[in-house]
Amino acid sequence: MSAGIKGKVALVTGGSRGIGRAICQRLAALGCRVYINFVANPAAAEETQRLIVAAGGQAEGIRFDVADGEQVTAAIKQIIAEAGSLDILVNNAGITRDGLLARMKDSDWDEVLDTNLKGAFLCAKAASRGMMKNRWGRIINITSVIGFAGNAGQINYAAAKAGLVGLTKAMAREFASRQITVNGVAPGYIVTDMTSSLPEDIQEKIKAEIPLASLGAPEDVAGAVAYLAGEDGRYVTGQVLHVNGGMYM
Ligand code: NDP
């Protein structure tokens, strides 16, 4: 599945852990040279790199904050200088700062919007120049079921993830004539550091609302990304692929 991306260069933001790690591993297994972005936790990025190299793939870590325009521009310049191009961008880095609206601090709003939404804009802006020149590119934005269904206590996260859907569709229209596709993947509840901190009773409640009756694995999301990045996905743009066990249809 999704052949045709052997030798392409991919950047996965927040690629060091969870869903991002699985995406890095999948793209590397398909023959991409993968850049694993992280911001705070080099050990996790090194472990992702180790796993990829042990499996015969090519990967390196690259530290930058997706919310910082100067860092993003410098990092993408560095990738293109080293690897010759940047062909596939997966905007996966994301954080939560949950709380009810009445008690949400302005900084909780700003941090989530800056990382989850502005980060995708900054990375796409820096990456798209080269893609336009090469007349080939894939941009995949990891949104969330919460951006579609909403969730009490997550207005900042829901707004950022819904914003990514609009960004995806507008970019898809801007870039289509250059053979750059832009799509979203919207995971439901996936087992990662982000969800394992949820109390057991909440996890049980979530499972009860999922027709396929279990949380998803990072690899389930990686499979959707591989489809959109690869040759099989070449005629798909401006779409959001939901990977959620049927919890939102
Ligand atoms: P994790 O919390 O496990 O990992 C988050 C990743 O993002 C880490 O690699 C982290 O790097 C990186 N990161 C955070 N902030 C920044 C930043 N400012 N700049 C660069 N990298 C950053 O998250 P998940 O794997 O659970 O989630 C991945 C994506 O999937 C997110 O966008 C999330 O919103 C989305 N998602 C997750 C769902 C789930 O159920 N888990 C459901 C729906 C969507 P570091 O290790 O250095 O901190």
Side-chain angles (χ1 to χ4, degrees):
M1 194 212 33
S2 283
I5 50 173
K6 197 168 162 37
K8 299 284 186 199
V9 180
L11 166 65
V12 181
T13 67
S16 55
R17 294 189 275 124
I19 291 172
R21 172 180 287 177
I23 294 169
C24 287
Q25 288 179 290
R26 183 67 63 97
L27 293 177
L30 290 168
C32 294
R33 174 171 177 176
V34 176
Y35 281 85
I36 307 160
N37 161 249
F38 65 100
V39 67
N41 191 348
E46 280 160 24
E47 175 61 7
T48 305
Q49 182 188 25
R50 191 193 64 74
L51 290 166
I52 290 172
V53 172
Q58 213 185 345
E60 40 249 294
I62 186 159
R63 180 181 218 147
F64 65 90
D65 179 350
V66 294
D68 181 320
E70 278 177 22
Q71 289 185 32
V72 168
T73 308
I76 289 179
K77 251 193 200 152
Q78 181 193 326
I79 292 172
I80 293 171
E82 270 174 29
S85 66
L86 173 56
D87 310 301
I88 299 168
L89 168 68
V90 184
N91 283 312
N92 165 79
I95 56 168
T96 51
R97 297 284 183 271
D98 297 350
L100 295 173
L101 170 61
R103 271 181 262 136
M104 184 172 286
K105 290 188 252 147
D106 293 3
S107 60
D108 293 335
W109 172 270
D110 289 342
E111 282 173 29
V112 168
L113 270 287
D114 283 354
T115 301
N116 298 13
L117 183 56
K118 189 178 175 191
F121 153 72
L122 291 172
C123 292
K125 190 173 161 184
S128 60
R129 271 189 213 113
M131 291 177 182
M132 295 219 271
K133 247 191 247 151
N134 297 341
R135 291 191 148 49
W136 197 95
R138 299 280 188 266
I139 299 175
I140 298 162
N141 298 317
I142 308 299
T143 170
S144 169
V145 65
I146 305 300
F148 290 81
N151 196 22
Q154 289 199 303
I155 59 143
N156 48 0
Y157 186 80
K161 293 300 189 180
L164 275 179
V165 176
L167 181 82
T168 297
K169 293 181 182 181
M171 288 201 306
R173 288 188 187 278
E174 279 196 23
F175 296 148
S177 65
R178 309 294 176 103
Q179 303 303 311
I180 300 167
T181 67
V182 187
N183 289 288
V185 173
Y189 283 89
I190 308 294
V191 181
T192 68
D193 293 345
M194 193 179 267
T195 45
S196 57
S197 56
L198 293 170
E200 191 66 27
D201 59 320
I202 303 275
Q203 293 203 27
E204 285 309 313
K205 250 193 214 155
I206 290 169
K207 265 187 221 165
E209 284 166 22
I210 302 174
L212 288 177
S214 65
L215 271 65
E219 292 71 23
D220 297 323
V221 182
V225 171
Y227 163 67
L228 292 168
E231 192 54 25
D232 289 344
R234 81 178 181 94
Y235 197 57
V236 180
T237 198
Q239 306 302 312
V240 178
L241 185 45
H242 292 260
V243 181
N244 61 24
M247 73 178 285
Y248 176 88
M249 296 183 185

